[in-house]
Amino acid sequence: MLTQFAVGRLEEQLDKYDEWADRFEDLPLYFMTFHGQQSIRSVIDTMQHAVYVYDVCHVVIDNLQFMMGHEQLSTDRIAAQDYIVGAFRKFATENNCHVTLVIHPRKEDDDKELQTASIFGSAKASQEADNILILQDRKLVTGPGKRYLQVSKNRFDGDVGVFPLEFNKSSLTFSIPPKSKTRLKKIKDDGGLVVKKPSSGKKGGVPQNCETCPGQDPIPLQPDTSKPTG
């Protein structure tokens, strides 16, 4: 995490280690000291304590399948998962706290993309969620695979889409490819509408209506209709 925070290998610049370690220590970041399987009640109690004492407003649970192993409510794994998802939904609503829940998908064929229906268990997890992000990893036989983040559900305004990702080995992070790699051209269709398509032969392109700022998530932009089209 220090490598990701510093966006570089600190073992190659040890003189900067203390500086980055101090800055990392100042982050309002807390870890639950759970290792292995835990009951949902213990996790919820810890989360409520964190919200009350530290004013935590975002909790990340990684991952759902890990917690299900200790749950003794039922021998039915689907019922146990539904109970856990419902408990997190209730916690988020009552405490005004965001909860990000990591769920491993069910096994799919390598040539198929993951979908909302690929979430392990029943449909309750996808129904209760306000947003669903899917990390797609398309493996290619001829070379490195392509990874991208897919927004498959957005309860805020309904906008969905994909963001291509590139792995930066030096910083151990995924990021959107630079805009400089994108070549876009306008093509007018038969109806007179202007559509934007990335030019072929260029790798790592991003849609023109997607903009990223340092340290922020990509923000979709509306097309500029004020400019005349040629």
Side-chain angles (χ1 to χ4, degrees), residues 105-115 118 134-139 146 148 150:
R106 60 168 56 96
K107 297 296 183 182
E108 300 281 9
D109 296 336
D110 291 339
D111 58 342
K112 293 183 179 180
E113 292 184 343
L114 296 176
Q115 302 176 1
S118 302
I134 301 177
L135 183 60
Q136 301 280 7
D137 186 2
R138 179 177 294 182
K139 295 179 173 60
K146 295 182 179 180
Y148 54 92
Q150 177 182 355

Side-chain angles (χ1 to χ4, degrees), residues 170-202:
S170 62
S171 62
L172 303 179
T173 57
F174 285 98
S175 60
I176 294 180
K179 276 190 173 182
S180 59
K181 296 182 180 179
T182 307
R183 296 293 182 269
L184 299 175
K185 59 182 178 180
K186 297 181 180 179
I187 301 176
K188 183 176 294 185
D189 62 9
D190 296 336
L193 299 176
V194 176
V195 294
K196 301 175 182 179
K197 295 183 178 180
S199 61
S200 59
K202 299 294 184 179

Side-chain angles (χ1 to χ4, degrees), residues 14-189:
L14 294 178
D15 56 318
K16 297 182 179 180
Y17 178 84
D18 290 339
E19 174 189 352
W20 283 105
D22 292 339
R23 293 175 61 179
F24 186 81
E25 192 177 30
D26 292 336
L27 294 176
L29 187 66
Y30 304 91
F31 294 89
M32 289 186 285
T33 56
F34 289 148
H35 301 281
Q37 301 168 355
Q38 297 290 332
S39 68
I40 179 63
R41 188 69 260 166
S42 299
V43 176
I44 292 291
D45 289 343
T46 303
M47 291 164 55
Q48 289 177 335
H49 177 79
V51 171
Y52 179 76
V53 176
Y54 301 110
D55 293 327
V56 169
C57 59
H58 187 186
V59 178
V60 180
I61 302 295
D62 186 7
N63 60 68
L64 174 65
Q65 280 86 344
F66 215 46
M67 298 181 55
M68 291 174 57
H70 196 69
E71 200 60 49
Q72 302 295 330
L73 291 176
S74 171
T75 56
D76 186 357
R77 291 177 59 84
I78 304 300
Q81 173 175 319
D82 289 349
Y83 171 79
I84 293 174
V85 170
F88 284 133
R89 173 75 263 184
K90 182 180 179 181
F91 169 85
T93 303
E94 293 180 348
N95 295 275
N96 193 27
C97 178
H98 294 282
V99 177
T100 296
L101 181 61
V102 179
I103 303 179
H104 290 302
R106 60 168 56 96
K107 297 296 183 182
E108 300 281 9
D109 296 336
D110 291 339
D111 58 342
K112 293 183 179 180
E113 292 184 343
L114 296 176
Q115 302 176 1
T116 303
S118 302
I119 298 176
F120 179 82
S122 69
K124 184 176 180 63
S126 58
Q127 292 172 348
E128 294 283 9
D130 293 324
N131 307 290
I132 297 178
L133 307 179
I134 301 177
L135 183 60
Q136 301 280 7
D137 186 2
R138 179 177 294 182
K139 295 179 173 60
L140 301 178
V141 178
T142 57
K146 295 182 179 180
R147 294 185 177 94
Y148 54 92
L149 188 66
Q150 177 182 355
V151 181
S152 62
K153 181 179 180 180
N154 178 3
R155 188 168 282 171
F156 176 68
D157 59 10
D159 285 344
V160 295
V162 298
F163 302 98
L165 298 175
E166 281 187 355
F167 180 68
N168 189 325
K169 191 174 182 179
S170 62
S171 62
L172 303 179
T173 57
F174 285 98
S175 60
I176 294 180
K179 276 190 173 182
S180 59
K181 296 182 180 179
T182 307
R183 296 293 182 269
L184 299 175
K185 59 182 178 180
K186 297 181 180 179
I187 301 176
K188 183 176 294 185
D189 62 9

